[in-house]
């Protein structure tokens, strides 16, 4: 199989994706986005992990995104909340479409046809742009708009966190998780009490595997 | 009919689109992109026309695009060429997808569901991201990814340049064309000899209407 490009954030899911892509493709590159995210530590960890895994990383400045939206991921004064039955306040409308569109343009330049993203339908957030039908539709749009046979791979689409962790163990890459960033509060070591930290802990507990981040 | 957002460049087609949107919607806003285009005069004309037509204009900095591509629109050292049967060298892969995705995010913020773009399948350039099947697919992707009933209107999709010019005459907006930018060489007044200028002249000649730009 030929070369692949991974949409990379330095988080747990995209790091799992990177490991899966590396198991499937002889050459793998990564792309990360600087979009005014709440915590700069995310990008620091993406850079660290790219180096740690010897992966070429392109960082693209999408800082325009904060000018389009008001939300808790880019506005440090906003609360992180997730009222029942509503989209969480961290929702940036169209965020994954932007990320995947930019990644596709970069893949085109690199002559890469395999694009990996760690989106997960089983995820807790309920983002519509993490669902399989959206990814399928967008893949078709990109193929038409670029006349380019790109494939968007979503190996975590129906995986639980525990299953993802088990995959990493099977791939011999559990140590990578020591450098991923999860905590919504941006703490390192993680706060352990925010919803993201709790979800991470639950995943490792369910998998019966110790989190190398501690 | 409710509010609309027009993807606006200060060129002839998007200006025609603006006039059509204004004829169909009580309130119309515009969005333009600063993406390192070869000629800054395009954005100047977009600003001028927004003011001239009393249209709220959002300009979004997409300067990251020049870091993704090498082509004649963003690289001032590159030739403008269009070899037979090939994509023109001005092709930015995925450009319209990026523009429409960003515009959709902005429309979402503004609670606008009608998006207008001046893409034209009959256009000379053969860009795949100007075709109807691409626009239709992308509209579907955006609807899924945002859970938002956006409609992408392409009133010029099957119109010739001459037909567009006649529409502007019928709408009483021919004077707007005096402020649109067309010339590939970035001259104002236009050079009159580049392919874009020649196409513009041919359109007015076919329409039997005098170009107010002279």
């Amino acid at each position: 199989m030929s070369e692949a490009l991974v949409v990379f954030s330095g988080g747990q899911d995209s790091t799992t994706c990177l490991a899966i892509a590396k198991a499937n493709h002889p050459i793998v590159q990564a792309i990360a986005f600087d979009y005014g995210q709440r915590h700069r530590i995310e990008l620091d960890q993406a850079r660290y992990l790219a180096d740690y895994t010897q992966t070429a990383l392109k960082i693209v400045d999408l800082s325009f995104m904060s000018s389009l939206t008001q939300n808790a991921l880019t506005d440090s004064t906003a609360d992180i909340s997730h009222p029942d039955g509503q989209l969480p306040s961290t929702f940036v409308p169209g965020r994954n479409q932007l990320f995947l569109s930019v990644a596709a343009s970069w893949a085109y330049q690199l002559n890469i046809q395999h694009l990996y993203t760690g989106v997960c339908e089983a995820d807790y957030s309920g983002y519509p742009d993490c669902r399989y039908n959206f990814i399928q539709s967008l893949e078709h749009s990109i193929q038409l708009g670029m006349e380019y046979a790109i494939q968007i791979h979503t190996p975590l689409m129906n995986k639980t966190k525990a299953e993802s962790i088990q995959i990493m163990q099977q791939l011999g890459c559990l140590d990578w998780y020591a450098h991923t960033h999860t905590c919504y509060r941006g703490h390192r070591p993680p706060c352990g009490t925010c919803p993201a930290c709790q979800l991470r802990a639950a995943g490792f507990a369910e998998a019966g595997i110790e989190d190398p981040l501690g």
Side-chain angles (χ1 to χ4, degrees), chain A:
Chain A
M1 247 179 138
S2 49
E3 204 167 339
L5 179 68
V6 177
V7 177
F8 192 57
S9 72
Q12 199 179 337
D13 286 342
S14 67
T15 300
T16 309
C17 246
L18 183 64
I20 295 170
K22 280 181 179 275
N24 290 335
H25 301 265
I27 306 176
V28 175
Q29 300 196 39
I31 185 169
F33 303 109
D34 184 352
Y35 61 100
Q37 45 268 75
R38 196 180 174 102
H39 306 305
R40 304 300 300 174
I41 198 176
E42 278 186 50
L43 275 179
D44 293 342
Q45 293 310 117
R47 275 191 206 92
Y48 186 93
L49 274 160
D51 190 51
Y52 186 75
T53 62
Q54 297 183 288
T55 309
L57 174 66
K58 166 92 170 172
I59 297 182
V60 182
D61 180 355
L62 301 187
S63 50
F64 77 89
M65 284 176 66
S66 57
S67 77
L68 291 182
T69 57
Q70 281 296 331
N71 61 74
L73 281 182
T74 57
D75 178 1
S76 58
T77 64
D79 273 346
I80 294 166
S81 61
H82 186 172
D84 283 349
Q86 294 179 30
L87 287 169
S89 62
T90 52
F91 178 61
V92 180
R95 188 173 59 160
N96 269 328
Q97 173 151 342
L98 287 170
F99 290 170
L100 288 167
S101 300
V102 175
S105 287
W106 186 233
Y108 185 100
Q109 294 296 324
L110 299 174
N111 201 25
I112 289 176
Q113 296 189 312
H114 297 279
L115 196 57
Y116 279 72
T117 171
V119 297
C120 179
E121 202 161 52
D123 211 342
Y124 57 105
S125 302
Y127 295 125
D129 59 352
C130 291
R131 294 184 193 136
Y132 182 63
N133 63 352
F134 164 70
I135 298 292
Q136 246 191 333
S137 176
L138 192 70
E139 178 187 79
H140 184 59
S141 298
I142 293 170
Q143 289 171 350
L144 289 172
M146 295 190 179
E147 287 192 328
Y148 190 62
I150 210 156
Q151 286 180 49
I152 305 182
H153 300 269
T154 57
L156 307 185
M157 183 57 82
N158 298 301
K159 298 278 184 288
T160 64
K161 291 279 171 195
E163 289 169 333
S164 288
I165 293 161
Q166 286 161 346
I167 289 169
M168 282 297 260
Q169 190 180 47
Q170 287 154 21
L171 293 173
C173 300
L174 262 185
D175 54 305
W176 297 13
Y177 279 156
H179 311 288
T180 59
H181 179 73
T182 299
C183 179
Y184 257 8
R185 295 205 172 95
H187 296 181
R188 189 164 176 86
C191 74
T193 55
C194 76
C197 279
Q198 289 183 332
L199 192 80
R200 177 172 175 135
F204 278 94
E206 191 188 330
I209 293 171
E210 197 179 341
D211 186 346
L213 182 51

